[in-house]
């Protein structure tokens, strides 16, 4: 994700800035943006600057200083996912968005329309024609319908976030793939995802996918984050695949019943020395299962800083076991278990910042 840090930082601060430009925008691109605006409801004035002749001076637009081509269209809404600050107003666009109109922006590299409300809008097949696109974020925006497979034609795309919309099919071919919160995605996990050798981030949590994870050893070799929270009936055709993910640093399998998944737990155990975050909350785990994860002959990870084992069937025995392995933990979540401790002092947790035993 290091290569995406700039992107993620940029999307927080970029809306509202005016970018210096040495040339004016091209008229056909200006007209495309005005046509795009016509289909939207701008009740909060996000597009109030879209009036003068130079679209490079409009809010949310950045142009190439030499050619005048639009390179960025960043209109992320605000205040949709939390309480409003005192005296502040939401900043969102509504209506049915027509992305096909933007086809004239062939030099666009970054497109962020996240956290708006385009209820019923669809992602058109023509989105696969934006050959320069490197960053695409349409999350939390009410898109529906299917995800066009033409998105796989975006060979330069490095970041794709379509989370928390409602869709039924899945694209392939990216380094960052977040489809979380889309209960409209159902069926089995496509085995074709295993061919994405450059995939580094895979988030399928809170979807309606089921069946065995189809990946095999050699699939997804550079994956560093895997989130499969809440997949119904989670199992793996090849448990060795998981332990082969030598670069994995974040693993979330919460809300999956793993009490009888001995081979899977053994695979997770082999990953622990490299993991920074492990979440197995609500997995019906017992003390014996935890002993499989942390066998007495092994050394606890020097990198693991977050461990979530809440909402299982664990007792004080698990807590005592973790005392032998947990010198570097910063966050330990053990709430909603059967853990009763006699002392409030835990000298074996020198780095601990959060301990939840509620």
């Amino acid at each position: 994700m290091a290569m995406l840090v700039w992107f993620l930082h940029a999307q927080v601060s970029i809306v509202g800035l005016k970018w210096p430009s040495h040339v004016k925008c091209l008229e056909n691109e200006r007209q495309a943006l005005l046509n795009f605006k016509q289909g939207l409801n701008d009740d909060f004035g996000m597009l109030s600057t879209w009036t003068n002749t130079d679209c490079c001076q409009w809010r949310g637009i950045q142009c190439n200083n030499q050619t005048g081509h639009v390179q960025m269209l960043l209109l992320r809404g605000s205040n949709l996912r939390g309480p409003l600050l005192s005296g502040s107003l939401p900043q969102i666009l509504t209506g049915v968005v027509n992305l096909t109109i933007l086809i004239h922006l062939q030099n666009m590299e970054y497109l962020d329309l996240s956290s708006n409300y385009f209820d019923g809008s669809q992602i058109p097949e023509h989105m696969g024609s934006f050959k320069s696109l490197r960053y695409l974020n349409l999350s939390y925006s009410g898109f529906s319908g299917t995800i066009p497979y033409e998105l796989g034609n975006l060979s330069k795309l490095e970041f794709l976030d379509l989370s928390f919309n409602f869709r039924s099919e899945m694209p392939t071919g990216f380094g960052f793939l977040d489809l979380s919160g889309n209960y409209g995605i159902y069926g089995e996990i496509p085995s074709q995802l295993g061919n994405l050798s450059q995939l580094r981030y895979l988030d399928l949590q809170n979807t309606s996918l089921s069946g065995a994870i189809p990946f095999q050893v050699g699939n997804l070799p550079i994956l560093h984050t895997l989130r499969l929270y809440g997949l119904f009936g989670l199992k793996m055709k090849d448990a060795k695949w998981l332990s082969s993910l030598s670069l994995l640093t974040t693993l979330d399998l919460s809300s999956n019943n793993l009490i009888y998944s001995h081979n899977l737990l053994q695979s997770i155990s082999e990953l622990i020395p490299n993991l920074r975050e492990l979440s197995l909350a609500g997995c019906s785990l017992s003390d014996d299962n935890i002993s499989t994860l942390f066998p007495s002959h092994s050394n606890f990870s020097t990198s693991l800083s977050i461990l979530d084992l809440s909402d299982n069937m664990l007792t004080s025995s698990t807590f005592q076991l973790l005392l032998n392995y947990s010198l570097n933990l910063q966050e330990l979540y053990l709430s909603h278990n059967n853990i009763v401790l006699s002392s409030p002092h835990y000298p074996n947790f020198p780095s601990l910042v959060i301990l939840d035993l509620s």
Side-chain angles (χ1 to χ4, degrees):
M1 289 292 288
M3 65 187 299
L4 300 176
V5 169
W6 185 88
F7 298 153
L8 296 176
H9 173 74
Q11 70 175 349
V12 173
S13 59
I14 199 163
V15 174
L17 293 181
K18 290 185 177 180
W19 299 87
S21 61
H22 302 296
V23 294
K24 291 186 176 181
C25 68
L26 304 181
E27 180 58 29
N28 67 325
E29 296 188 6
R30 176 181 177 273
Q31 193 59 50
L33 290 168
L34 290 175
N35 293 338
F36 172 75
K37 175 185 176 182
Q38 286 182 354
L40 300 176
N41 299 319
D42 184 23
D43 297 331
F44 302 97
M46 288 182 66
L47 307 181
S48 60
T49 63
W50 288 32
T51 55
N52 61 42
T53 58
D54 186 7
C55 67
C56 294
Q57 297 298 319
W58 294 353
R59 179 182 183 180
I61 303 293
Q62 181 182 0
C63 298
N64 184 289
N65 289 336
Q66 296 179 338
T67 67
H69 286 298
V70 173
Q71 288 186 314
M72 289 187 175
L73 176 54
L74 301 174
L75 295 173
R76 179 174 184 169
S78 63
N79 294 324
L80 285 184
R81 288 180 257 172
L84 294 176
L85 298 175
S86 177
S88 65
L89 293 174
Q91 291 283 301
I92 63 171
L93 297 169
T94 61
V96 178
V97 63
N98 186 350
L99 295 176
T100 303
I101 293 176
L102 298 176
I103 196 66
H104 294 289
L105 308 182
Q106 281 298 302
N107 291 273
M108 185 166 58
E109 297 182 10
Y110 311 105
L111 176 59
D112 187 347
L113 300 177
S114 62
S115 297
N116 289 291
Y117 191 64
F118 306 129
D119 189 34
S121 297
Q122 298 193 7
I123 303 172
E125 296 177 358
H126 292 302
M127 282 301 298
S129 300
F130 291 89
K131 301 299 184 182
S132 299
L133 207 60
R134 299 169 59 191
Y135 179 101
L136 177 59
N137 190 346
L138 302 178
S139 62
Y140 289 91
S141 291
F143 282 93
S144 62
T146 61
I147 301 173
Y149 284 97
E150 286 78 5
L151 288 182
N153 297 329
L154 302 177
S155 59
K156 294 184 179 181
L157 197 66
E158 300 173 358
F159 181 104
L160 173 66
D161 191 347
L162 303 177
S163 59
F164 290 91
N165 289 290
F166 300 93
R167 300 175 296 276
S168 61
E169 297 183 18
M170 303 172 65
T172 60
F174 316 108
F176 179 106
L177 180 55
D178 187 345
L179 298 174
S180 59
N182 290 288
Y183 291 100
I185 296 178
Y186 55 87
E188 296 186 353
I189 300 175
S191 59
Q192 289 84 353
L193 285 180
N195 298 327
L196 304 181
S197 60
Q198 299 303 307
L199 198 65
R200 294 174 294 279
Y201 182 107
L202 178 59
D203 190 343
L204 300 178
Q205 61 182 330
N206 288 327
T207 66
S208 298
L209 295 170
S210 61
I213 295 176
F215 308 135
Q216 301 176 353
V217 172
N219 290 156
L220 311 183
I222 63 173
L223 195 70
H224 67 64
T225 298
L226 178 61
R227 299 189 183 279
L228 301 177
Y229 176 101
L231 290 188
F232 178 75
L234 177 68
K235 55 184 180 294
M236 291 192 179
K237 292 181 178 178
D238 184 0
K240 292 182 179 180
W241 165 76
L242 188 61
S243 59
S244 71
L245 301 178
S246 60
L247 299 182
L248 199 69
T249 59
T250 299
L251 177 62
D252 187 352
L253 300 179
S254 298
S255 294
N256 290 287
N257 191 338
L258 302 181
I259 188 172
Y260 300 117
S261 303
H262 183 74
N263 291 337
L264 181 56
L265 293 173
Q266 283 187 322
S267 294
I268 297 173
S269 177
E270 295 178 33
L271 290 171
I272 285 177
N274 296 322
L275 290 178
R276 296 177 185 173
E277 178 181 347
L278 175 60
S279 298
L280 298 174
C283 291
S284 303
L285 297 176
S286 66
D287 291 334
D288 289 339
N289 296 137
I290 301 303
S291 297
T292 300
L293 284 174
F294 305 116
S296 58
H297 61 275
S298 68
N299 293 320
F300 194 76
S301 166
T302 58
S303 60
L304 191 67
S305 59
I306 302 174
L307 177 61
D308 189 350
L309 298 174
S310 57
D311 198 21
N312 283 293
M313 302 181 292
L314 309 178
T315 70
S316 303
S317 297
T318 286
F319 188 82
Q320 294 299 320
L321 176 65
L322 294 177
L323 287 175
N324 299 320
Y325 299 101
S326 50
L327 295 179
N328 297 287
L329 275 179
Q330 297 180 21
E331 301 178 23
L332 177 58
Y333 301 93
L334 293 169
S335 62
H336 299 98
N337 282 289
N338 299 311
I339 298 175
V340 179
L341 302 178
S342 57
S343 171
H345 303 291
Y346 317 111
N348 288 52
F349 295 112
S351 303
L352 206 62
V353 177
I354 298 175
L355 175 60
D356 187 354
L357 296 171
S358 60

